[in-house]
Amino acid sequence: MKALVTGGAGFIGSHLVDRLMEKGNEVRVLDDLSAGSMDNIKRWLDNERFEFIRGDMRDVGVVKDAVEGVDVVFHLAANPEVRIGSQSPEILYETNVLITYNLLEAIKDSNVEYLVFTSSSTVYGDASVIPTPENYAPLEPISVYGGAKLAAEALISGYAHTFRFRALIFRLANIIGERSNHGVIYDFINKLRKNPDELEILGDGTQRKSYLHVSDTVEGMFHIFEHFKGEDKTVDFYNLGNDDWITVKEIAEIVSEGMGLKPRFRFTGGVDGGRGWRGDVKLMRLSIEKAKTTGWKQEMSSYEAVRRTVRELLETM
């Protein structure tokens, strides 16, 4: 299999590249390095089965060249910051919706058979059903980030049905682990290194969400992709998350313990009932029953994933 991984030098993308290469595939990475790092993929640079293209997916020509000759596209390129939507919504449009449109335009004129897209739990918004299943409706994102991900999903579905390729869409919970360079754990570690005596916590600390380690995420993506290839659906959706969830305050306690510190917690109080920022989903836990029917099962709980991620980031940050 020859695969293109957009955003392949990023956090999740680079772990996916590792797995693809270890399985003996040919892999091409397209990344502008705005969020990714060459350090994440440097082990493969001299491998004859690996190719790296530094390019901006807002450039149609770059995207068309990147899809040439590949069988499957794993589309992970995106701006990962949910919070940026309230300050710069145009950035989330360009780096989530526009680049997906450009990719789809290139795919429709190519021999690409499969597109695998990493969407987000944010497409569900403040879901009234928790755990939230894939068929939950109506989808009502409360952030520009969630809206951009949902727009990309809709474009992918429309193009797949119209231009006869198949698309697998993963709605991800909070993904954490080695190489992550944003998110609550990363932020807490940086804050405590600057001031070991006090930790600022956005919101009221009761925000409760599901976390999945990147190793479980990549294993789930590969397992479900193999299952999807054996089915006859044009487009399908799968949640990837955990069976449990954890509060922001509990994460702060785990990070503090991992750093050997006992800081004062200073809660900002947040907005809209204790959220960290406008658009922050306060309660999120996805139903993963559909994913489990394929035979996949996560190795780590949310708590275990957080503890492992703290250890990994303290060793590498």
Side-chain angles (χ1 to χ4, degrees):
M1 181 172 70
K2 185 164 186 177
L4 169 65
V5 183
T6 72
F11 166 41
I12 303 174
S14 63
H15 286 278
L16 186 67
V17 167
D18 287 348
R19 187 64 182 276
L20 283 164
M21 289 295 294
E22 288 161 2
K23 283 180 168 286
N25 299 289
E26 294 182 58
V27 178
R28 178 183 294 155
V29 166
L30 173 59
D31 202 304
D32 65 1
L33 300 181
S34 59
S37 169
M38 291 302 293
D39 286 341
N40 292 340
I41 54 173
K42 62 183 178 182
R43 62 184 286 202
W44 305 117
L45 292 177
D46 295 327
N47 192 297
E48 62 182 9
R49 290 185 288 106
F50 182 81
E51 178 186 1
F52 175 74
I53 301 173
R54 181 169 184 174
D56 189 331
M57 291 185 68
R58 289 172 290 191
D59 184 329
V60 175
V62 167
V63 180
K64 286 187 175 181
D65 289 343
V67 303
E68 184 68 31
V70 304
D71 307 301
V72 54
V73 177
F74 292 90
H75 180 34
L76 287 82
N79 189 307
E81 286 290 349
V82 178
R83 280 178 283 180
I84 199 173
S86 59
Q87 292 90 35
S88 304
E90 73 281 0
I91 292 178
L92 288 180
Y93 167 74
E94 291 180 4
T95 58
N96 285 276
V97 184
L98 177 61
I99 67 170
T100 300
Y101 168 75
N102 288 345
L103 178 62
L104 292 168
E105 278 289 289
I107 287 175
K108 78 177 176 63
D109 296 323
S110 74
N111 293 318
V112 171
E113 188 174 359
Y114 300 102
L115 171 62
V116 180
F117 175 59
T118 48
S119 186
S120 165
S121 63
T122 57
V123 301
Y124 294 113
D126 283 329
S128 59
V129 177
I130 297 178
T132 311
E134 290 85 353
N135 61 2
Y136 175 83
L139 297 179
E140 186 181 346
I142 63 169
S143 64
V144 176
Y145 178 87
K149 283 293 189 182
L150 186 55
E153 285 190 12
L155 281 172
I156 289 168
S157 180
Y159 267 75
H161 283 283
T162 302
F163 297 106
R164 301 299 182 184
F165 61 91
R166 300 180 64 202
L168 176 60
I169 296 172
F170 289 105
R171 292 171 176 163
L172 303 180
N174 288 359
I175 310 304
I176 55 177
E178 185 181 2
R179 303 179 195 162
S180 59
N181 58 6
H182 70 284
V184 64
I185 300 173
Y186 183 88
D187 290 346
F188 282 170
I189 291 173
N190 279 329
K191 286 179 178 179
L192 286 172
R193 282 180 171 168
K194 291 178 182 176
N195 182 1
D197 298 320
E198 181 179 272
L199 177 61
E200 178 195 61
I201 300 175
L202 302 180
D204 63 9
T206 65
Q207 305 99 302
R208 185 182 295 270
K209 303 180 185 184
S210 179
Y211 290 78
L212 188 67
H213 194 270
V214 67
S215 59
D216 279 332
T217 307
V218 170
E219 176 61 31
M221 290 176 66
F222 269 93
H223 184 90
I224 294 168
F225 178 50
E226 290 302 315
H227 175 82
F228 174 73
K229 287 195 291 186
E231 294 191 317
D232 60 0
K233 293 182 178 179
T234 300
V235 180
D236 208 354
F237 301 81
Y238 282 86
N239 291 335
L240 279 181
N242 227 312
D243 289 309
D244 65 342
W245 47 0
I246 184 172
T247 67
V248 171
K249 182 175 182 291
E250 288 171 319
I251 293 174
E253 291 167 348
I254 292 172
V255 173
S256 301
E257 178 187 348
M259 297 179 72
L261 301 173
K262 293 185 178 180
R264 297 183 301 276
F265 291 165
R266 179 170 60 83
F267 300 96
T268 67
V271 299
D272 299 337
R275 303 171 193 268
W277 57 89
R278 185 162 294 150
D280 179 28
V281 176
K282 192 169 185 184
L283 301 174
M284 182 275 291
R285 181 156 64 98
L286 303 177
S287 169
I288 54 173
E289 294 309 306
K290 182 177 178 180
K292 287 183 175 180
T293 63
T294 69
W296 171 77
K297 190 179 187 304
Q298 74 280 23
E299 295 290 331
M300 285 171 268
S301 67
S302 291
Y303 286 86
E304 291 166 337
V306 168
R307 291 185 187 280
R308 177 167 162 178
T309 299
V310 171
R311 293 194 302 269
E312 290 172 338
L313 293 187
L314 287 175
E315 290 172 1
T316 56
M317 282 176 62

